[in-house]
Amino acid sequence: MAEVTADRSPEATMTLEAFADTIVPGEKRFPDDHAIAGAAEGPGAVAAGALELLDWSATGITPMLGDLVSRLGEHAEAYAAEEGLALDPSVPPFVGLSFAQRTALVRRLVAPGHPEKEFWVLLTLFSNMAYDSAAHTSTAEAMADGHPGLLAMGFATPDPDGLWRFPRYSYGRPLARLHPATTPSGSPA
């Protein structure tokens, strides 16, 4: 559903994946996965399509992703210097931080008073949104593909015809009595 036109370096991809994984962590995709810290079991934001959502022009953030990747690297280098950390030169600076260090840095970036807070909050929101709403794809497609966030939340699957119907009330009881003139289809008379 989302029109994706990403053209970025592998380093930029790793950095964005590492940021999204810091927001909604997941398990490593392969043993030497540097972007995904492996801080949680099961799939996280990256597996749920965080990069696809960030690359969707409807978010409005897509044109600034390159700048955010650069700034995140600069912030990671400054954080590492401040903390006396040696970063792995074979991976981008933010990716070289441990999960706890990434989390501490993101906490700083989204804190009240940080001059770039709005940008980091946007990146955080979209990383989370990919997991908890699959906003970059249709709900029916997401469910058919086994979207990890929707499945984790227990989102109901549609009926065989692709429509959602709820034969039982979600609160275990009707919220109001039907008007006596309501038609069998549920329309007012």
Side-chain angles (χ1 to χ4, degrees):
M1 180 170 212
E3 183 179 326
V4 177
T5 57
D7 183 25
R8 73 170 67 86
S9 70
E11 293 79 18
T13 297
M14 286 178 68
T15 301
L16 290 171
E17 287 178 339
F19 188 93
D21 180 66
T22 304
I23 305 308
V24 182
E27 62 192 13
K28 288 182 175 285
R29 299 166 287 190
F30 46 89
D32 291 333
D33 193 348
H34 296 288
I36 309 300
E41 291 183 22
V46 175
L51 267 61
E52 290 85 353
L53 179 59
L54 290 172
D55 289 335
W56 186 22
S57 61
T59 63
I61 197 171
T62 308
M64 67 177 82
L65 288 176
D67 186 47
L68 289 175
V69 166
S70 296
R71 288 177 183 266
L72 190 55
E74 292 166 6
H75 286 298
E77 289 171 342
Y79 176 84
E82 181 182 313
E83 297 292 321
L85 305 171
L87 293 174
D88 179 351
S90 70
V91 296
F94 187 76
V95 177
L97 298 174
S98 70
F99 181 75
Q101 294 160 348
R102 292 175 187 179
T103 302
L105 177 54
V106 170
R107 189 177 303 121
R108 287 182 184 184
L109 296 174
V110 299
H114 191 282
E116 300 170 2
K117 175 186 173 186
E118 292 81 9
F119 301 114
W120 304 115
V121 168
L122 275 175
L123 201 57
T124 298
L125 286 170
F126 288 127
S127 296
N128 193 62
M129 188 184 293
Y131 186 81
D132 69 8
S133 69
H136 56 292
T137 187
S138 77
T139 305
E141 287 176 27
M143 292 304 294
D145 293 342
H147 186 274
L150 297 179
L151 291 176
M153 290 187 299
F155 202 85
T157 55
D159 290 339
D161 63 0
L163 299 176
W164 275 266
R165 295 180 186 84
F166 302 93
R168 295 185 315 230
Y169 304 106
S170 62
Y171 291 97
R173 63 182 176 81
L175 297 178
R177 280 180 251 134
L178 291 178
H179 187 277
T182 303
T183 67
S185 71
S187 298

